[in-house]
Amino acid sequence: AAKANDLIANYVNVPTAEHLHIEKVKVFSGNNAYNDLLASVDLVDAVYIPLPTTLKKEWTIRALRSKKHVLVEKPVAPSAEDYREMIYEAKLAKRYLMDGTMFVHHPRTDRFL
């Protein structure tokens, strides 16, 4: 493990806990993990939501109202109306709401369209 850490430190610019001045890492687990995560004020800036489509709207809105940026896995919502509500909540919260479809956001996509 030490050799791997040395390799990473020498060749990859990945910040460590010391560089980020992190004294303690919080692990969210158990039945209330997502609620605890959303309630955290200074520990979490953004969340990834890979839940089943029928749960995404509820948890996305909860995350946005908790002042978290949100990355939602595709499909984002079961309907366009649900997605519009999610976008509205993102605007109210002044937070980013992004879908997990990488190709839509890639510069090469413009060449295909």
Side-chain angles (χ1 to χ4, degrees), residues 47-65:
V47 295
Y48 169 62
I49 301 184
L51 299 170
T53 307
T54 56
L55 298 174
K56 289 178 183 171
K57 176 185 167 188
E58 172 191 351
W59 284 100
T60 296
I61 290 173
R62 289 174 82 173
L64 291 165
R65 288 179 179 171

Side-chain angles (χ1 to χ4, degrees), residues 69-96:
H69 301 287
V70 179
L71 175 63
V72 184
E73 192 52 66
K74 60 192 176 310
V76 174
S79 70
E81 181 58 35
D82 283 353
Y83 193 31
R84 280 191 284 275
E85 288 180 50
M86 294 159 72
I87 292 168
Y88 175 77
E89 291 288 340
K91 288 179 180 179
L92 279 180
K94 297 181 181 171
R95 293 295 180 265
Y96 290 108

Side-chain angles (χ1 to χ4, degrees), residues 3-113:
K3 286 184 180 181
N5 288 337
D6 290 342
L7 180 68
I8 289 171
N10 290 324
Y11 296 102
V12 180
N13 188 12
V14 177
T16 63
E18 295 88 27
H19 289 104
L20 296 174
H21 307 289
I22 297 172
E23 296 176 17
K24 187 171 141 182
V25 174
K26 171 75 174 155
V27 175
F28 298 94
S29 63
N31 292 339
N32 211 29
Y34 238 68
N35 287 317
D36 293 343
L37 182 142
L38 294 180
S40 69
V41 178
D42 296 329
L43 293 174
V44 179
D45 295 323
V47 295
Y48 169 62
I49 301 184
L51 299 170
T53 307
T54 56
L55 298 174
K56 289 178 183 171
K57 176 185 167 188
E58 172 191 351
W59 284 100
T60 296
I61 290 173
R62 289 174 82 173
L64 291 165
R65 288 179 179 171
S66 297
K67 301 299 184 193
K68 310 294 185 228
H69 301 287
V70 179
L71 175 63
V72 184
E73 192 52 66
K74 60 192 176 310
V76 174
S79 70
E81 181 58 35
D82 283 353
Y83 193 31
R84 280 191 284 275
E85 288 180 50
M86 294 159 72
I87 292 168
Y88 175 77
E89 291 288 340
K91 288 179 180 179
L92 279 180
K94 297 181 181 171
R95 293 295 180 265
Y96 290 108
L97 171 61
M98 293 195 60
D99 65 79
T101 310
M102 178 280 305
F103 74 88
V104 174
H105 307 288
H106 197 282
R108 286 189 287 180
T109 303
D110 289 338
R111 288 187 244 160
F112 297 113
L113 300 177

